[in-house]
């Protein structure tokens, strides 16, 4: 019988660890998968587009972007893109405000745009014509625009007339302080509404009314905040019945108060005093301007 000199070692924690270390060190290391060059490029392009596209949209719709003379002429005649017309109008208005003589060649187009079918274009045009109070044709056109079908256009025309020292649009200015009532254009069932207190832009969706297979969207005539809702979801409404009121935006109220500071009368005080109250939804600057406006009206009445 063959004898062996090997002596068995007891299995201890030390020997177990050394065995594990050896096995671990000799185990194959898994390969790390690297992204291919094509996938890296694709990832980079997608990330770049996510950043670039919002910038390009902002750049194309920002009215502060400068335009050359030829671009202004082109944009003013672009009936397919009303925002191009607005962009050009803003640029012309800025030149007029700086009293640049180079703006005069576009004056005939400004007069023509006062009857443009798009409300936003007429609204911007009314503001622009108030930048040059030496042009009689602008004054006469703004007086005509006081009869516009749009409340916001009438209001902007009235504000521009104040620059001419003309208070003919005083009632339209006072109306800018009042909530805008929204009526149902058709009879039907209310299938969607927004909530009280929600901010809306001019043209923003307030409700939807369904009559048979026909669905009509009800939109806000002004920018502001939904003050009241007279209908509930699922309710049936009659045509021309009031469904909501929109409180005017702070910017609209601010401009109206400043104009009434110059041309307001005592009959306007009830609408002005609403903004003197210490309510959470009335900013301090509006409250202060309302007080200043009332003081100016009272001083004129005393004289």
């Amino acid at each position: 019988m063959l004898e062996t000199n090997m002596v068995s070692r007891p299995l201890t924690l030390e020997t177990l660890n050394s065995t594990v270390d050896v096995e671990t060190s000799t185990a194959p290391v898994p390969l790390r998968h690297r992204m291919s060059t094509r996938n890296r490029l694709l990832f980079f392009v997608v990330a770049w587009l996510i950043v670039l596209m919002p910038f390009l949209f902002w750049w194309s719709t920002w009215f502060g972007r400068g335009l050359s003379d030829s671009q202004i002429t082109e944009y003013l005649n672009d009936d397919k893109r009303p925002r191009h017309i607005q962009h050009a109008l803003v640029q012309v208005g800025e030149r007029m405000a700086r009293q640049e003589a180079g703006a005069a060649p576009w004056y005939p187009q400004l007069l023509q745009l006062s009857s443009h079918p798009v409300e936003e274009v007429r609204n911007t045009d009314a503001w622009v014509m108030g930048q040059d109070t030496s042009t009689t044709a602008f004054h006469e056109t703004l007086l005509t625009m006081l009869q516009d079908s749009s409340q916001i256009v009438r209001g902007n025309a009235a504000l521009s007339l104040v620059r001419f020292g003309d208070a003919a649009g005083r009632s339209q200015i006072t109306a800018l302080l009042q909530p805008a009532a929204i009526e149902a254009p058709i009879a039907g069932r209310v299938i969607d509404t927004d909530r009280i207190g929600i901010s809306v832009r001019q043209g923003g969706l307030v409700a939807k009314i369904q009559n048979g297979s026909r669905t009509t969207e009800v939109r806000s005539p002004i920018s502001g905040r939904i003050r009241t809702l007279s209908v509930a979801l699922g309710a049936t409404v009659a045509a021309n019945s009031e469904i909501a009121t929109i409180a005017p935006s702070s910017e609209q109220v601010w401009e109206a108060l400043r104009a009434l500071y110059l041309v307001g009368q005592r009959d306007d005080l009830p609408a002005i005093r609403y903004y003197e109250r210490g309510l959470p939804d009335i900013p301090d600057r509006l409250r202060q301007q309302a007080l200043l406006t009332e003081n100016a009206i009272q001083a004129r009445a005393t004289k």
Side-chain angles (χ1 to χ4, degrees):
M1 183 175 181
L2 182 63
E3 293 184 358
T4 161
N5 294 325
M6 295 182 60
V7 179
S8 60
R9 296 177 59 190
L11 186 60
T12 63
L13 184 60
E14 181 180 358
T15 58
L16 180 61
N17 287 340
S18 63
T19 305
V20 172
D21 289 342
V22 171
E23 293 178 353
T24 304
S25 62
T26 58
V29 179
L31 296 176
R32 297 177 61 185
H33 295 285
R34 297 184 60 188
M35 186 182 295
S36 66
T37 302
R38 177 179 176 275
N39 288 343
R40 285 202 304 271
L41 289 174
L42 183 61
F43 178 81
F44 174 79
V45 170
V46 171
W48 176 246
L49 288 176
I50 291 174
V51 175
L52 182 63
M53 292 305 294
F55 172 78
L56 291 178
F57 176 79
W58 168 80
W59 180 251
S60 64
T61 57
W62 179 46
F63 293 161
R65 176 169 58 91
L67 299 175
S68 65
D69 290 359
S70 60
Q71 285 178 315
I72 289 178
T73 301
E74 176 188 349
Y75 278 28
L76 286 175
N77 292 282
D78 191 354
D79 288 330
K80 294 183 179 180
R81 297 181 178 86
R83 288 191 65 83
H84 274 187
I85 300 177
Q86 285 182 274
H87 190 168
L89 284 172
V90 171
Q91 292 293 302
V92 173
E94 290 179 355
R95 297 190 185 197
M96 293 165 63
R98 295 192 296 265
Q99 299 182 343
E100 295 183 11
W106 294 298
Y107 282 10
Q109 287 176 278
L110 301 189
L111 298 173
Q112 293 175 2
L113 290 172
S114 65
S115 58
H116 194 277
V118 177
E119 177 185 20
E120 289 79 4
V121 171
R122 300 196 308 276
N123 188 38
T124 307
D125 191 39
W127 169 78
V128 170
M129 285 190 286
Q131 304 304 308
D132 185 353
T133 57
S134 65
T135 303
T136 303
F138 287 166
H139 189 182
E140 296 171 350
T141 301
L142 288 169
L143 287 170
T144 302
M145 295 180 79
L146 292 178
Q147 309 304 320
D148 194 276
S149 59
S150 165
Q151 175 187 349
I152 200 69
V153 173
R154 295 193 301 269
N156 238 2
L159 292 174
S160 286
L161 282 170
V162 173
R163 292 175 173 266
F164 287 84
D166 190 336
R170 184 177 61 84
S171 61
Q172 285 85 350
I173 296 173
T174 305
L176 294 177
L177 299 176
Q178 305 285 358
I182 300 180
E183 298 180 346
I186 62 169
R189 185 171 64 91
V190 179
I191 61 173
D192 190 17
T193 62
D194 222 326
R195 302 189 307 276
I196 292 177
I198 293 296
S199 297
V200 293
R201 306 270 315 165
Q202 180 185 0
L205 187 64
V206 176
K208 291 182 181 180
I209 300 176
Q210 188 176 56
N211 188 327
S213 59
R214 176 187 176 190
T215 300
T216 300
E217 295 180 341
V218 183
R219 297 185 175 274
S220 175
I222 63 172
S223 295
R225 178 179 48 80
I226 298 178
R227 176 178 288 182
T228 63
L229 276 175
S230 307
V231 295
L233 193 63
T236 300
V237 296
N240 302 319
S241 60
E242 183 178 300
I243 61 175
T245 59
I246 308 297
S249 66
S250 295
E251 292 75 15
Q252 178 174 312
V253 172
W254 172 256
E255 294 297 339
L257 290 173
R258 292 175 63 201
L260 291 175
Y261 179 91
L262 299 173
V263 301
Q265 298 180 13
R266 278 184 170 173
D267 292 344
D268 306 321
L269 291 178
I272 294 170
R273 284 171 177 159
Y274 174 85
Y275 295 95
E276 296 177 5
R277 300 189 296 172
L279 298 177
D281 58 337
I282 299 179
D284 286 340
R285 70 176 187 130
L286 293 187
R287 191 176 300 110
Q288 294 169 5
Q289 184 60 54
L291 291 169
L292 291 172
T293 300
E294 177 173 355
N295 292 338
I297 291 173
Q298 298 285 20
R300 282 196 297 273
T302 301
K303 291 181 182 180

